[in-house]
């Protein structure tokens, strides 16, 4: 396990056959440097799987808030700093850095998520946004 900036990966060129970026690119102010680094470290023909917060969530005013219970039993909420990147911006950056999208998935809020919304007393949100995408998943290939 190596901790580093996504914009300056501590690996040589053409090192990996697979890359995974889960819920991370929207925390980069710009996509270019991060996507360039992933491209640099992946071999020709490599697979890159990217998942992230769907850009529509930003338009809804949704925030990524995490609640943690401290050792004294108090709950503390944290909001992660994030940046809006449109689907078009993702696609452009992937193409500009040598990736082709084999598949793009946009899973939606459906009945499988209803128990989570019910448990958190958010049924109003569930009903309002049922059928709306929550995340976007890009299955990419480096060409």
């Amino acid at each position: 396990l190596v901790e580093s900036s996504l914009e300056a990966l501590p690996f040589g060129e053409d090192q990996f056959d697979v890359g995974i970026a889960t819920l991370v690119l929207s925390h980069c102010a710009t996509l270019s440097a991060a996507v360039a680094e992933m491209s640099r470290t992946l071999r020709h023909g490599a697979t890159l799987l990217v998942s992230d917060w769907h850009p529509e969530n930003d338009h809804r005013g949704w925030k990524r808030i995490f609640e943690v219970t401290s050792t004294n039993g108090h709950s503390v909420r944290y909001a992660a700093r994030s940046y809006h990147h449109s689907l078009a911006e993702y696609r452009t950056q992937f193409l500009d850095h040598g990736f082709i999208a084999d598949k793009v998935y946009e899973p939606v809020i459906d009945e499988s998520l209803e128990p989570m919304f019910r448990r958190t007393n958010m049924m109003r949100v569930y009903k309002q946004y049922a059928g709306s995408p929550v995340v976007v998943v890009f299955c990419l290939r480096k060409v």
Side-chain angles (χ1 to χ4, degrees):
L1 182 63
V2 176
E3 183 178 335
S4 75
S5 167
L6 186 57
E7 297 168 338
L9 296 171
F11 306 111
E13 294 184 15
D14 304 322
Q15 293 281 304
F16 302 104
D17 293 317
V18 176
I20 300 172
T22 304
L23 302 173
V24 67
L25 287 178
S26 59
H27 297 291
C28 298
T30 61
L31 294 177
S32 184
V35 176
E37 276 295 275
M38 289 186 288
S39 180
R40 181 185 67 77
T41 61
L42 290 171
R43 294 183 180 117
H44 177 79
T47 297
L48 176 61
L49 181 66
V50 174
S51 65
D52 219 321
W53 182 254
H54 200 286
E56 283 189 24
N57 296 334
D58 297 328
H59 298 301
R60 295 179 188 124
W62 291 8
K63 304 288 183 208
R64 284 164 262 209
I65 297 174
F66 305 92
E67 190 167 323
V68 178
T69 303
S70 65
T71 55
N72 64 6
H74 292 95
S75 291
V76 180
R77 287 184 161 196
Y78 298 93
R81 180 181 300 210
S82 59
Y83 302 89
H84 177 79
H85 303 297
S86 68
L87 292 178
E89 183 181 357
Y90 279 107
R91 288 185 180 111
T92 297
Q93 288 301 315
F94 294 144
L95 284 172
D96 286 354
H97 291 94
F99 292 103
I100 291 179
D102 288 329
K103 294 184 181 174
V104 179
Y105 299 99
E106 297 178 72
V108 300
I109 297 171
D110 63 13
E111 62 278 351
S112 70
L113 297 176
E114 188 268 342
M116 181 197 68
F117 282 88
R118 184 174 303 286
R119 193 171 47 254
T120 56
N121 296 317
M122 298 295 287
M123 286 304 293
R124 178 189 56 77
V125 173
Y126 172 77
K127 290 175 183 173
Q128 182 176 359
Y129 294 107
S132 299
V134 176
V135 296
V136 60
V137 180
F138 297 94
C139 298
L140 306 158
R141 185 170 25 95
K142 184 176 174 188
V143 293

